[in-house]
Structures are given as structure tokens and as C-alpha cells.
Amino acid sequence: MTDKIDKWLRSGPEAVLRKAGLREGNRVLDLGCGQGRYAIPAARIVGDTGWVHAVDKDRQNLREVKRRAAKEGLRNIDTVHVHVARHSAIPIQPGTIDVILIYDVLHGFPEKAERDNLLRQVHRLLRPGGFLSCCLTHLREFGWTYKKTLAEIADAGFRLRRQFRPTLVHAGKLVRVRIFQFAKPG
Ligand SMILES: C[S@@+](CC[C@H](N)C(=O)[O-])C[C@H]1O[C@@H](n2cnc3c(N)ncnc32)[C@H](O)[C@@H]1O
């Protein structure tokens, strides 16, 4: 199993992001980036003509993202330290982002007012025609359902375009998850 996990960690995140539709030249925001499992391969995919903002509330995670980016010689990524809460704003210019990733993060927003603020901000930051890629995890623990969560995201002004079901490493295990792709109508 460890071999399989190691193998996935080497090439799996990049494959997931390509399936999600990331392309060279995209401007990406990874919200709740952790230590950069997706932000680093996203920077590889978008290349010199794109950019990745890696956003997290945990400074230690952001230091690790910087370390990994430096190790790979990636110059197209910055880290943004912000604790997104009911009243906080992500300090990035509205309407400038092509793709926002929210992977394994939404459960960190158990209060509806916080989720609403988060989704309002995501909507504001995306350019019209941009998309939100959302990997929903831990729903059962919080008594949520896909239906309820997808409805909340739709209420924030997004349109569900498609979903895919990759296998990825979550909480140290290979599991099958659902990733939902939402558009911000142009
Ligand atoms: C489970 S990790 C997921 C990391 C990464 N997205 C992945 O899938 O590997 C959740 C991350 O979201 C961050 N996070 C949780 N709540 C947050 C908030 N309110 N504002 C900013 N970051 C937050 C945590 O610090 C953590 O790094």
C-alpha cells in the first residue's frame, strides 16, 4: 500500500489537476493549500505564463510550499497567509483568477456564515468564465450531504458543469473521491 501511495504522490496530483482542466497560462488560487500537494504541480502545469497563489491560514504550511517551490526552481507561485473567516478577505484583485481549487477544505468551515463568506470571495476573485474545482470530503462527519453542499455552492452563483471520481491520497489512504467542477457564468 505504501508503494502505491508513494507512486500516487509522485504523479497523481498532477493527473488530477489536468483532469480538472488546468492548463498552461492559467492563474490559479489554491485555497487551503496545505503543504502544496496540489499547488506545486499546479505551478508546473501553468508554467511561466501562469501563476499560482497558495493560500492558507497556517504559516508553517506556507513555509513548506515555499521550500518545495524553491527546490523545484518554480518562480510562478506565491504564498498568501490569510485565515479566511466570516469577515476576512483574501487580498487578491477581484476577477483575475481562472481556476480556484478547494480540495479537502470546506469541512474547515462548519458555520454556514463562514462558508457563505468563503464562496462569496471565491466568486468575486474568479473571472467570468473561470471555474471552481471542489473536492468534497468529511461530509458525513458534519452531517452534510452532497446535495446540500452543492446547493449552497450553486446559491453562491456557480453552475455545476461536471464531476469526476479520481482515486487520491486522503488522510494517508488511497480513496475514491468526487471532484465537482463549477463555472462562474460569464
Ligand atoms: C486537510 S488540509 C488540505 C490541504 C490540501 N488542499 C490538500 O488537499 O492536500 C486543509 C488545509 O486548509 C487550511 N485551512 C483550513 N481552514 C482555513 C481557513 N479558514 N483559512 C485558510 N486556510 C484554512 C488548513 O490550514 C489546511 O492546510
Side-chain angles (χ1 to χ4, degrees), residues 32-34 37-38 56-58 61 82-84 103-105 109:
C33 62
R37 177 171 294 171
Y38 296 96
D56 208 284
K57 66 178 180 181
D58 183 321
N61 281 346
V82 55
H83 186 154
V84 184
Y103 283 8
D104 190 20
V105 170
F109 294 75

Side-chain angles (χ1 to χ4, degrees), residues 13-34:
E14 190 165 327
V16 167
L17 293 173
R18 288 194 188 279
K19 186 118 200 226
L22 251 73
R23 297 287 176 261
E24 193 174 346
N26 282 162
R27 205 172 170 91
V28 178
L29 189 154
D30 184 5
L31 211 159
C33 62

Side-chain angles (χ1 to χ4, degrees), residues 50-164:
W51 194 265
V52 175
H53 300 288
V55 176
D56 208 284
K57 66 178 180 181
D58 183 321
R59 286 188 194 277
Q60 213 171 319
N61 281 346
L62 296 178
R63 275 197 289 275
E64 180 60 16
V65 172
K66 278 189 193 160
R67 192 193 67 78
R68 290 184 180 181
K71 193 173 167 210
E72 285 201 29
L74 294 166
R75 295 164 171 275
N76 58 348
I77 179 166
D78 64 2
T79 57
V80 182
H81 178 245
V82 55
H83 186 154
V84 184
R86 201 178 289 202
H87 302 295
S88 57
I90 301 169
I92 288 173
Q93 208 185 337
T96 61
I97 304 295
D98 298 302
V99 184
I100 298 190
L101 309 173
I102 302 186
Y103 283 8
D104 190 20
V105 170
L106 208 58
H107 60 281
F109 294 75
E111 285 183 30
K112 181 157 184 338
E114 287 180 1
R115 287 196 300 283
D116 286 348
N117 172 47
L118 171 82
L119 293 170
R120 255 197 314 274
Q121 292 200 49
V122 167
H123 194 270
R124 190 172 53 87
L125 293 174
L126 272 179
R127 67 163 173 79
F131 69 87
L132 163 65
S133 180
C134 195
C135 179
L136 296 175
T137 49
H138 302 280
L139 294 192
R140 238 182 261 160
E141 281 161 48
F142 288 90
W144 300 350
T145 60
Y146 283 116
K147 196 172 167 192
K148 177 179 161 239
T149 313
L150 298 179
E152 273 188 14
I153 299 174
D155 285 349
F158 293 96
R159 235 175 254 156
L160 180 61
R161 289 282 190 232
R162 66 183 171 97
Q163 61 168 294
F164 62 105

